[in-house]
Amino acid sequence: IDMKKIIFICFIFLFIACEEEEITSLEVTRNIQTFCKAQIQAKCFSNGIYRDSILFFIAECSPEEKYIYMYNDSLQPTCSFGEKGRLFSEFNMPFFYRNSQLHKQDSIIQIYDINLLQEKYMNLNLINRKLDFIDGRYFPPQLYFSENLNQIDNNTLVGNSIETQNGIFFIYKYDSDSITWIKYNTGFNFKNPQIQYDVHKNIICANPSKRVLYAGYRFLDLIQLYDVDGKLLKKIQFSKLKKPLLEKRYTGVSYDNPIYTIDMYATSRYCYLLRANMTMEQLNDDKDHPCQIIVMDWEGNIKDVLQIPFFIMPIVIDENNTTLFSIISNHKDPENAYLVKINI
């Protein structure tokens, strides 16, 4: 190879290495200062949905040993139910599907239970009227221990797994009982599969009618927009991507890293991303750390950036995209918390 070719090849590699990442600046459009709140007993609410003027939360821990709690728009409790057990009407580790609007016309809310390997269907019209208002079925083995589930249509699910992670997310087809994993594409590659999984830990949130989904990463300041066939449509970085620090005491990512996307919520118009941008130690201390809600349309455009003066989680948005509901800690009284309502 002559010297000109060597110089040309070196120039190409240098150009690729020096190519600047496109960074999207986050400019706060609204500073939230006013809100309504009601004190409630702390129940470790992990996720929630809003349907027909009713707010639903799933509790991971509750002194009443119930799993599902309902509140009205005035933040008043209306009902609680869901015993621990193995029946379809019982629970062990339940979550709402992230795109809970799919069966809205049928007044059905979909729930999956990781530990019971079940999918459940809760009929809103029959709550407090019939004992069997929750029905269900067992997942096929391919979907065992799945999380972040979104149903695109009657044949297609997208989500992640807590057990096997062979990519950013999977696409499952019921008719062929097949799973396709979308390959990692962030530029970070680790030989250890556990580290590769931890670095790319993400949340998936889909819009079935638009047939697109967002992937928001926990340890990478990055979100990606895909179609439901797994084609990357757009990526948005809010800062330069850095290789996360690895933990020296065990195999995995260190919690000294900032945590970025920690929750997401989908409506027909927007995807709402809860951006923490703080370490796990900060999340667990007794101080009020601010967080942000990034409002994205389903074409990959930022519509709003809301600055919240304290950390909230989980996030739930009403069907008109005008109200945000969430939980904030009561640092002075850990046995209680606050249910908050914020006009957005």
Side-chain angles (χ1 to χ4, degrees):
I1 302 176
D2 59 32
M3 186 57 68
K4 288 184 179 179
K5 288 184 178 179
I6 293 175
I7 294 174
F8 177 76
I9 292 171
C10 291
F11 174 79
I12 293 296
F13 278 113
L14 183 64
F15 175 80
I16 294 173
C18 296
E19 186 179 4
E20 291 188 5
E21 299 174 355
E22 183 178 349
I23 307 299
T24 299
S25 61
L26 278 176
E27 299 181 4
V28 174
T29 54
R30 284 188 59 197
N31 270 296
I32 302 298
Q33 299 295 334
T34 58
F35 55 92
C36 299
K37 69 177 183 179
Q39 182 168 289
I40 61 173
Q41 191 176 37
K43 296 181 176 68
C44 311
F45 287 148
S46 61
N47 61 118
I49 63 167
Y50 185 92
R51 180 75 67 80
D52 297 340
S53 300
I54 303 172
L55 184 62
F56 296 83
F57 282 111
I58 290 178
E60 290 185 345
C61 64
S62 169
E64 296 133 13
E65 298 185 344
K66 304 288 187 182
Y67 276 95
I68 297 181
Y69 292 81
M70 298 167 55
Y71 298 84
N72 60 25
D73 278 338
S74 300
L75 309 183
Q76 299 302 308
T78 60
C79 183
S80 64
F81 57 87
E83 306 286 342
K84 186 172 184 177
R86 305 185 67 85
L87 302 176
F88 288 134
S89 59
E90 297 171 328
F91 302 94
N92 192 289
M93 192 176 178
F95 293 87
F96 294 116
Y97 274 67
R98 288 203 171 269
N99 58 334
S100 60
Q101 302 297 315
L102 185 61
H103 294 287
K104 179 180 177 181
Q105 307 255 338
D106 303 322
S107 298
I108 298 295
I109 292 179
Q110 284 176 283
I111 299 171
Y112 63 94
D113 197 302
I114 293 178
N115 285 344
L116 297 183
L117 313 177
Q118 295 172 353
E119 178 182 40
K120 303 171 188 289
Y121 310 95
M122 183 169 70
N123 191 322
L124 300 186
N125 294 331
L126 300 180
I127 294 177
N128 289 332
R129 296 182 186 178
K130 291 183 66 176
L131 293 176
D132 57 348
F133 65 91
I134 299 177
D135 198 3
R137 64 177 177 177
Y138 284 97
F139 275 131
Q142 292 265 39
L143 292 175
Y144 285 1
F145 306 111
S146 295
E147 65 174 349
N148 286 317
L149 288 180
N150 296 254
Q151 184 151 6
I152 305 304
D153 52 44
N154 290 331
N155 189 46
T156 309
L157 287 179
V158 296
N160 302 120
S161 171
I162 64 172
E163 189 175 59
T164 304
Q165 198 81 3
N166 296 318
I168 298 171
F169 61 92
F170 66 72
I171 303 169
Y172 175 79
K173 297 292 184 179
Y174 275 104
D175 59 359
S176 58
D177 189 29
S178 62
I179 276 188
T180 302
W181 281 93
I182 304 308
K183 295 180 179 180
Y184 299 114
N185 55 19
T186 62
F188 295 110
N189 294 290
F190 299 87
K191 292 182 179 179
N192 187 306
Q194 181 62 46
I195 295 176
Q196 185 79 340
Y197 165 77
D198 286 351
V199 167
H200 292 91
K201 182 72 174 174
N202 65 79
I203 299 173
I204 300 297
C205 212
N207 184 322
S209 61
K210 299 283 188 180
R211 301 191 69 78
V212 295
L213 60 94
Y214 280 105
Y217 292 84
R218 177 175 292 185
F219 295 113
L220 302 174
D221 206 5
L222 168 72
I223 59 175
Q224 296 172 319
L225 179 67
Y226 290 86
D227 67 20
V228 295
D229 295 317
K231 179 183 178 182
L232 178 62
L233 303 176
K234 191 173 184 178
K235 68 174 184 177
I236 305 159
Q237 291 177 218
F238 301 119
S239 62
K240 184 176 177 61
L241 294 187
K242 299 176 182 178
K243 181 180 178 181
L245 298 172
L246 301 182
E247 181 56 61
K248 297 179 180 179
R249 295 168 295 178
Y250 54 83
T251 301
V253 172
S254 169
Y255 280 103
D256 291 333
N257 291 287
I259 295 173
Y260 296 106
T261 301
I262 197 168
D263 196 19
M264 297 172 76
Y265 192 88
T267 69
S268 58
R269 292 187 63 187
Y270 301 119
C271 182
Y272 297 80
L273 298 94
L274 173 57
R275 185 172 184 265
N277 195 21
M278 66 185 86
T279 66
M280 183 60 72
E281 182 180 356
Q282 290 174 304
L283 284 172
N284 291 329
D285 67 21
D286 294 332
K287 298 178 183 178
D288 285 329
H289 297 284
C291 62
Q292 292 177 332
I293 304 293
I294 304 172
V295 186
M296 307 286 301
D297 66 20
W298 294 102
E299 284 75 46
N301 304 305
I302 298 176
K303 307 305 291 184
D304 261 322
V305 180
L306 312 178
Q307 182 86 359
I308 312 293
F310 38 74
F311 183 71
I312 60 175
M313 190 173 172
I315 57 172
V316 180
I317 314 297
D318 75 334
E319 293 150 338
N320 296 319
N321 298 277
T322 58
T323 307
L324 181 151
F325 301 92
S326 192
I327 306 295
I328 60 175
S329 299
N330 184 341
H331 300 306
K332 297 180 179 179
D333 183 6
E335 293 186 0
N336 291 293
Y338 293 107
L339 174 59
V340 296
K341 175 181 177 180
I342 301 172
N343 291 328
I344 58 174

